[in-house]
Amino acid sequence: MSGVVVHLPGGSGGAVGGEPHGDAVTLRLGPGEVARFGRGSTAIPVELRLDDPAISRLAGEIHVTDDHWQLTNHSTTHSYLVENPEGAGEYLRVPPRRVGAPIPFEFARVVLPTRGDVPVSFQVFAPDHVYLDPEAMGVPWGNSTVTAYSLDETATYFLVLVALCEPRLRDQSRVAVPTTPQIVERLRGHVTCGALTARAVSSHIDYLAEEKLRIGAPDAHEPGKGERRNGKREEIVGLALRFGLVREEHLALLPPLAGAGGRERQAAR
């Protein structure tokens, strides 16, 4: 896709009398083009009108380049958030007066602060990211480059890792990392993990931390062992999500979520 598509969903452009309002707007911008957003006025026209008294008449600009887009924040007081709806809670904060902040997400949601309960946001669909052809990346000399984190996606330890990351992948928020009993219960319905014990899960977590992801292990003889184990799990999940070692598509490796609530959450995604 060349250029970007900016979409303001209906009812997302602000609130009048506490009620969402505004028609849906879609803009298509090519490389070199700019779209301005804000409350606007006769003297300050904008392509994307956001009606909220907390938003400046010229709140910001979207500038399109050949392979990404940039966000300029004209506000002198408010930061804007750029969220990655497809990621594990990833976001960027664009501070006041920041010019041309490059946005790396292929799909992004720009959120502006308001005084009301209705958030003001719009979506930006960026050009598809371009990747090198792995067949054309070989070099004729020297040793091969090793993989930083070598993980076998068919192994039980990888299922444990996916189960650890699952709450944050599904909710995109800083929720608690599952405990060992919760992981045992979550994997009970898997064809190869029905007999998995708590001790085995703990061993897999230690293996991930010490061998695969090389996160320092706590000293079992010192006080506070439980707290450091929780900290180790947090580090494992944080590293796996930051580097994309576990992604949303890996959730398909886990057994289906039990109950109507689980089905509803899956359907909503």
Side-chain angles (χ1 to χ4, degrees):
M1 179 178 70
S2 178
V4 307
V5 175
V6 183
H7 178 64
L8 176 67
S12 297
V16 174
E19 295 296 326
H21 82 293
D23 296 330
V25 177
T26 299
L27 306 174
R28 288 175 171 80
L29 307 174
E33 293 186 315
V34 175
R36 306 196 297 177
F37 59 89
R39 288 197 351 258
S41 68
T42 303
I44 307 175
V46 293
E47 287 73 32
L48 211 61
R49 186 168 180 177
L50 308 173
D51 288 323
D52 189 279
I55 295 176
S56 305
R57 294 195 180 279
L58 178 56
E61 295 181 3
I62 292 170
H63 179 262
V64 182
T65 69
D66 288 333
D67 58 1
H68 70 283
W69 61 282
Q70 301 170 346
L71 180 66
T72 294
N73 182 355
H74 285 296
S75 173
T76 59
T77 56
H78 294 149
S79 294
Y80 303 154
L81 292 183
V82 183
E83 301 174 339
N84 177 12
E86 297 179 326
E90 294 176 300
Y91 70 91
L92 296 176
R93 182 183 295 109
V94 181
R97 303 182 305 280
R98 175 68 161 92
V99 176
I103 308 301
F105 308 136
E106 290 189 47
F107 174 37
R109 180 188 299 115
V110 180
V111 183
L112 283 71
T114 70
R115 295 182 60 120
D117 297 330
V118 180
V120 172
S121 65
F122 57 87
Q123 301 162 354
V124 181
F125 300 83
D128 295 335
H129 291 177
V130 178
Y131 296 90
L132 294 172
D133 182 356
E135 299 297 327
M137 293 175 61
V139 292
W141 63 86
N143 295 329
S144 299
T145 303
V146 299
T147 303
Y149 303 109
S150 178
L151 299 175
D152 180 358
E153 297 185 5
T154 66
T156 301
Y157 70 75
F158 190 78
L159 284 172
V160 171
L161 179 59
V162 176
L164 281 170
C165 297
E166 181 182 28
R168 292 186 187 173
L169 283 173
R170 291 199 186 280
D171 299 334
Q172 301 180 358
S173 61
R174 293 286 296 178
V175 295
V177 175
T179 64
T180 295
Q182 288 173 329
I183 293 175
V184 171
E185 183 61 29
R186 182 67 183 93
L187 297 178
R188 191 180 303 281
H190 193 277
V191 65
T192 64
C193 298
L196 197 65
T197 64
R199 177 171 294 184
V201 168
S202 295
S203 296
H204 286 301
I205 291 173
D206 288 340
Y207 178 66
L208 283 164
E210 297 164 22
E211 301 295 333
K212 289 298 184 179
L213 306 181
R214 299 180 298 284
I215 294 171
D219 188 338
H221 300 290
E222 292 185 4
K225 170 185 173 185
E227 292 181 6
R228 279 192 296 280
R229 281 196 177 278
N230 288 338
K232 180 169 65 176
R233 291 164 187 260
E234 291 276 355
E235 287 189 65
I236 288 172
V237 171
L239 188 149
L241 295 180
R242 282 197 305 273
F243 286 97
L245 306 178
V246 177
R247 301 177 298 279
E248 192 171 353
E249 59 261 32
H250 290 130
L251 294 176
L253 299 173
L254 299 175
L257 286 169
R263 288 193 296 271
E264 289 170 1
R265 285 195 297 274
Q266 287 183 315
R269 290 190 63 81

